[in-house]
Amino acid sequence: MTSSEACEITRLEPAAIIGFDGHVIAGLRVHPDQKHLVFPLGNEISVYELETNRQTFLRGHTNTISTVDISPTGKMVASGQTNHMGFRAYVIIWDWESRKEISRYELHRVKVQSLCFSSNEQYLVSLGGKDCGSIIVWDIEQNMAICGITATKETTGDALKVCGLNQRWTTFVSGGDQNLRVWHIDRDRKRLNVQDVAVGKLRREFTGMRITENDEILYVGTMSGDIVKIRLNVSSNPNAPMPDKTPVMLGCFGKHNPRKPVGKDCEKYHYGVRDLLILPNGSLIIGAGDGTIEMVHERNVSFKNYTSPTWPQLKSLQSTKVGGVITSLQIVNQYTLLIGTDGCEIYSLELQNFKTSLRLLKTCHTNAVYDIAFPYNFSLVFATSSHESIWIWSTSRMQELLRIVVPNFASSSIVFSRDGKSIISAWNDGVIRAFTPLTGKLIYAIPNAHNKGCSSVAVTSNGKILVSGGIEGQVRVWKIEPYVQSMIGVLKEHYGPIESVHINSFDTEVVSASRDGSCVIWDLIRLTRKHVIFAHTQFIAAQYYPTGVQILTAGSDKLIGYWEAFDGSLVREVEGSKSGPINAIDMNMTGEYFVSAGTDQVVRLWDYQLGVEVAVGIGHASAITSARYSPNGKFLVTGSSDGGIFVWTVPENYHIKIPSPQELAGGSGSNKRTKPTTDSAGKRLVPCRAPKASNENVRQLESAHSNRSSQIANCPAVDLNAQPTIDPCVDTASLADDTEQQDQLETRSVHSQKSQIFDR
């Protein structure tokens, strides 16, 4: 590659985005063609094809998308966003066929709360957030705003939702905190006429709204847990003037409990009715804040003298429950209900049978993705670590295969063993845990591996030596055996948290990066310090070049540094970001290219030798916290602080030829490393295998879960008061009592027999 070619920066395109922003109210939408789902993902809109699992994206927003709507015929999609305080927020109208922008406007301040199309698709009605509070009617054909007005009175709360009628295209409804209003568009006078719904003394915060096909009845959910039925009193003729009759409330309904006496037989839905649907037979589907999904219909009973304002009018037909608050309800293909939750999960449910048909379709992290790991030389699956869980994903289907749950703690670092038989993870409770890759069972746990939390972990190629870094600034070395895991040394030079540890390809050195402004190169055989790298930065990542001759570092100073591993001298520095620190770097298997990402939300692909950018990916809506190159070099995976996972396609110009394992190990012949078959006493050495893991390998994971839904494994509790095992070869004379005993362990050389476990 010439220098002129290197200056041409190409665009990284996301092959898939694993995620669903369930916090957007009514964000999950089914296109009228019944073949696509539309939902927001950060500052992009995902168009997901149900049959093929393919994704395309609508890009154009500058910040997080807050609301989405689809026109009645499906020809257009509208989306609104949030923005920083003091700035205006965009509303964008997209053409469905071309997936391109038709028009946009920025008349709302800070946030667009809700959107709805008119039934004839001539108008788009947008509602601003609490910092704006205005309703704007936009003429799509003429590309201009017709009118705008404040959505509520001064005596009521904020408006939260707008909903268009099905027949009368000049009328729409708005609702929110103690306000429910019907609006009529006067096109000639360019103004809005409004009527307040007569609800008497009822005070509610109105949420989801659905209108019957003939525009006669409006059903509105409330945060109080009941449903209000409204007669709209509007004409089906769109050219008719605003009617004299005001919309009136027909009743406030709750669920009937036949087991309780009259007067106490009315039950409300916990945490409010968040969304609802009207079925063709007149039944209702209700989604509640506690995750309850229920099909109900109205009872033919009179409640004139009922003591409570909420009547037990609804009879339950079917019911089920999911985890999280229901934020979206949609029906696809007339028989399947799609459910979106604030836990960023999408469920499917057959309307005929609520009990056995519930199935999880899509899921993603709800917290920051702290680390990403691929198995050695295997690109079909990858693992991510986050709060309370480790997830394993399929790269072919972009779906979850396995979830390992450790309640109340966060996994800061993960790595696969070279043989693919275990997943080793570091947790903020100070425990190092290893799991099987197929079932997620706990193989072993090292309690109190670090007193203030374990922040990083790395393993040698034979899986017998583990190196971990802690928040307290120590690097600790562990010997992994089938039934015992013992500490063989503590390396103390840092006084700040260890952000990463990385072992070279020959298992002879390890580099540790710390926020104290130093990277230390350690001799892994003698457990001594070799060199120290100092810079005016907080080091966040450090990685060896595949041949081990250089080290690549990144940190808070926005610079990427090249360092000689031989003496720790600086070779080159390049600017890796225009704003914000670099949080992650990773090289491909040959070292030709590497990826960097950070708080500027930009993914950059670099040519290692030239030190220049060759490709850039833009799409994350928050700071990128982790990045990893796939073993085959064809794609990148990045994770962000909002839980989003992006899979980026690497352009063919920057693909690599995968070397053979012999080439990576240093060639063949006299330079090839061989494993010793006997120890110093002449006794035959047996390969170290963890119990219960010998029959599981990560390479079987894709086939093992091809026809099954994702599996969730819960990790058993670990005794946090237990102390780790100290190798008997280590002199314990300098160990102190209680929790300080590990901190006082001196860095020392280990007896000669310990070098046998490195298989030199």
Side-chain angles (χ1 to χ4, degrees):
M1 179 184 293
T2 64
S3 59
S4 61
E5 291 175 341
C7 294
E8 298 178 1
I9 300 177
T10 59
R11 180 73 178 264
L12 289 175
E13 295 295 335
I17 302 177
I18 300 176
F20 161 67
D21 192 352
H23 297 89
V24 177
I25 304 301
L28 176 63
R29 299 281 182 166
V30 175
H31 193 268
D33 64 6
Q34 302 295 303
K35 296 180 180 179
H36 296 85
L37 299 182
V38 178
F39 51 86
L41 278 173
N43 55 8
E44 299 182 353
I45 299 174
S46 173
V47 179
Y48 179 79
E49 191 171 350
L50 289 170
E51 295 181 357
T52 62
N53 294 334
R54 293 179 180 176
Q55 279 182 301
T56 55
F57 306 99
L58 305 180
R59 304 184 184 92
H61 284 283
T62 58
N63 212 319
T64 305
I65 294 173
S66 57
T67 181
V68 175
D69 192 34
I70 303 177
S71 63
T73 62
K75 294 181 180 179
M76 293 176 288
V77 176
S79 56
Q81 70 173 59
T82 61
N83 210 340
H84 302 289
M85 187 63 65
F87 294 88
R88 295 190 178 272
Y90 282 113
V91 174
I92 301 180
I93 304 173
W94 311 86
D95 180 71
W96 175 258
E97 293 296 330
S98 63
R99 303 290 200 272
K100 293 183 179 179
E101 178 183 321
I102 297 177
S103 62
R104 71 167 63 195
Y105 61 92
E106 48 176 352
L107 300 176
H108 294 287
R109 295 188 299 272
V110 184
K111 182 180 181 180
V112 181
Q113 183 71 34
S114 181
L115 295 169
C116 72
F117 282 95
S118 62
S119 58
N120 66 347
E121 301 183 356
Q122 181 180 354
Y123 303 122
L124 175 67
V125 180
S126 59
L127 171 65
K130 63 180 181 179
D131 297 297
C132 178
S134 62
I135 289 179
I136 294 174
V137 179
W138 184 265
D139 191 312
I140 299 174
E141 294 180 359
Q142 297 186 7
N143 196 23
M144 61 175 290
I146 297 177
C147 51
I149 193 173
T150 302
T152 61
K153 299 178 180 179
E154 295 181 357
T155 57
T156 63
D158 299 321
L160 303 174
K161 178 81 174 177
V162 289
C163 180
L165 273 63
N166 298 308
Q167 305 295 331
R168 187 182 174 100
W169 48 266
T170 57
T171 305
F172 63 93
V173 181
S174 70
D177 185 10
Q178 300 183 31
N179 64 86
L180 191 61
R181 317 182 85 184
V182 179
W183 302 80
H184 303 271
I185 303 173
D186 190 342
R187 183 67 175 83
D188 297 332
R189 299 182 181 180
K190 294 184 179 181
R191 70 178 187 181
L192 287 172
N193 300 317
V194 62
Q195 291 177 316
D196 289 298
V197 178
V199 295
K201 297 181 179 181
L202 193 72
R203 296 293 179 266
R204 295 288 189 270
E205 181 180 339
F206 299 103
T207 53
M209 296 187 292
R210 298 289 176 175
I211 302 173
T212 56
E213 287 294 329
N214 58 4
D215 291 342
E216 183 178 352
I217 301 298
L218 166 68
Y219 290 95
V220 188
T222 71
M223 288 299 294
S224 301
D226 45 24
I227 296 174
V228 178
K229 185 178 181 181
I230 306 294
R231 186 185 299 277
L232 290 177
N233 289 329
V234 296
S235 172
S236 59
N237 182 12
N239 297 319
M242 185 176 67
D244 296 333
K245 293 183 179 180
T246 60
V248 295
M249 182 180 70
L250 299 180
C252 184
F253 302 154
K255 183 173 62 173
H256 176 242
N257 188 348
R259 298 181 180 179
K260 292 186 178 181
V262 177
K264 299 182 180 180
D265 56 345
C266 183
E267 292 184 352
K268 297 181 180 180
Y269 292 94
H270 296 292
Y271 305 109
V273 176
R274 302 305 179 96
D275 201 2
L276 52 89
L277 290 174
I278 304 175
L279 299 181
N281 61 1
S283 299
L284 300 177
I285 300 290
I286 296 173
D290 63 346
T292 298
I293 306 294
E294 197 160 39
M295 180 188 293
V296 298
H297 73 84
E298 293 186 40
R299 302 166 61 207
N300 188 16
V301 183
S302 176
F303 298 98
K304 291 184 178 180
N305 299 322
Y306 200 78
T307 57
S308 173
T310 303
W311 302 339
Q313 183 76 41
L314 305 176
K315 179 181 178 181
S316 176
L317 302 178
Q318 296 186 84
S319 180
T320 189
K321 195 171 185 178
V322 300
V325 178
I326 307 299
T327 57
S328 302
L329 291 177
Q330 292 281 290
I331 292 181
V332 60
N333 297 326
Q334 299 182 356
Y335 302 105
T336 304
L337 177 68
L338 297 182
I339 306 156
T341 72
D342 69 343
C344 300
E345 294 178 328
I346 300 177
Y347 294 88
S348 69
L349 184 66
E350 299 300 324
L351 294 177
Q352 302 298 328
N353 186 2
F354 275 26
K355 293 183 178 180
T356 60
S357 62
L358 185 65
R359 187 165 62 95
L360 180 63
L361 284 184
K362 293 183 72 67
T363 183
C364 68
H365 290 289
T366 57
N367 297 88
V369 179
Y370 297 115
D371 198 12
I372 301 171
F374 278 92
Y376 175 72
N377 206 17
F378 188 68
S379 302
L380 293 181
V381 298
F382 65 91
T384 57
S385 65
S386 184
H387 180 65
E388 294 189 339
S389 60
I390 295 173
W391 303 40
I392 299 182
W393 306 86
S394 166
T395 57
S396 59
R397 293 177 289 154
M398 298 303 169
Q399 292 182 354
E400 175 194 15
L401 299 178
L402 175 66
R403 187 188 311 179
I404 304 170
V405 178
V406 181
N408 303 321
F409 300 111
S411 175
S412 55
S413 178
I414 52 173
V415 63
F416 283 92
S417 61
R418 179 68 68 93
D419 58 8
K421 295 181 179 180
S422 63
I423 307 169
I424 304 168
S425 56
W427 297 78
N428 64 349
D429 61 347
V431 180
I432 297 174
R433 296 175 173 88
F435 303 95
T436 58
L438 296 186
T439 58
K441 294 181 179 179
L442 181 67
I443 303 175
Y444 64 83
I446 305 176
N448 281 304
H450 290 270
N451 295 337
K452 297 181 180 180
C454 189
S455 58
S456 55
V457 67
V459 66
T460 57
S461 58
N462 64 0
K464 298 180 182 180
I465 291 294
L466 192 68
V467 180
S468 63
I471 301 297
E472 79 284 353
Q474 293 184 3
V475 177
R476 297 184 176 181
V477 185
W478 309 84
K479 180 169 65 174
I480 306 301
E481 294 177 317
Y483 298 101
V484 63
Q485 300 80 40
S486 55
M487 182 168 60
I488 61 177
V490 178
L491 309 176
K492 298 192 298 183
E493 284 288 341
H494 298 289
Y495 58 86
I498 306 296
E499 290 294 327
S500 73
V501 291
H502 190 257
I503 302 173
N504 68 358
S505 57
F506 303 104
D507 295 341
T508 57
E509 293 180 356
V510 59
V511 59
S512 58
S514 174
R515 286 191 175 271
D516 62 3
S518 67
C519 288
V520 179
I521 303 172
W522 306 92
D523 189 317
L524 200 53
I525 305 300
R526 297 190 299 269
L527 297 184
T528 57
R529 187 192 73 186
K530 296 185 70 174
H531 303 289
V532 182
I533 297 172
F534 288 109
H536 295 288
T537 183
Q538 294 180 351
F539 285 109
I540 300 176
Q543 186 176 17
Y544 275 100
Y545 191 76
T547 59
V549 297
Q550 286 187 346
I551 296 173
L552 197 66
T553 64
S556 60
D557 62 351
K558 301 175 288 187
L559 298 177
I560 298 174
Y562 295 62
W563 307 81
E564 289 287 354
F566 176 72
D567 57 1
S569 60
L570 180 63
V571 178
R572 172 195 288 166
E573 276 188 336
V574 296
E575 186 179 20
S577 172
K578 298 295 183 182
S579 61
I582 301 171
N583 297 327
I585 55 173
D586 191 46
M587 276 182 275
N588 61 13
M589 294 186 68
T590 61
E592 296 178 77
Y593 303 99
F594 69 92
V595 59
S596 69
T599 56
D600 61 353
Q601 307 174 15
V602 179
V603 180
R604 292 180 169 87
L605 184 64
W606 300 78
D607 184 292
Y608 186 89
Q609 297 296 334
L610 298 177
V612 295
E613 295 180 40
V614 294
V616 172
I618 300 175
H620 278 283
S622 61
I624 302 174
T625 53
S626 55
R628 195 67 62 190
Y629 225 116
S630 66
N632 61 11
K634 295 182 179 180
F635 60 91
L636 311 168
V637 180
T638 57
S640 57
S641 59
D642 60 358
I645 301 173
F646 280 59
V647 180
W648 306 87
T649 301
V650 175
E652 292 187 6
N653 297 339
Y654 311 121
H655 285 185
I656 61 173
K657 179 182 177 182
I658 302 298
S660 64
Q662 290 78 10
E663 294 173 338
L664 288 176
S668 58
S670 60
N671 293 329
K672 184 178 179 180
R673 295 185 296 162
T674 59
K675 295 184 178 181
T677 58
T678 60
D679 60 8
S680 59
K683 185 178 179 181
R684 185 175 180 272
L685 293 177
V686 180
C688 175
R689 290 188 175 92
K692 299 183 181 179
S694 58
N695 295 328
E696 293 191 20
N697 193 295
V698 70
R699 294 177 179 271
Q700 305 168 1
L701 189 61
E702 181 72 14
S703 59
H705 289 263
S706 57
N707 296 321
R708 294 193 297 174
S709 59
S710 62
Q711 181 176 348
I712 298 178
N714 292 303
C715 177
V718 176
D719 185 8
L720 300 181
N721 295 322
Q723 295 298 320
T725 303
I726 308 298
D727 192 87
C729 297
V730 178
D731 183 12
T732 59
S734 61
L735 292 179
D737 295 330
D738 301 325
T739 59
E740 297 297 325
Q741 62 176 356
Q742 296 178 28
D743 292 334
Q744 299 300 325
L745 183 62
E746 297 178 354
T747 304
R748 66 189 74 243
S749 299
V750 188
H751 296 289
S752 59
Q753 59 265 33
K754 287 188 178 179
S755 63
Q756 296 173 2
I757 60 180
F758 288 92
D759 288 345
R760 288 180 55 81

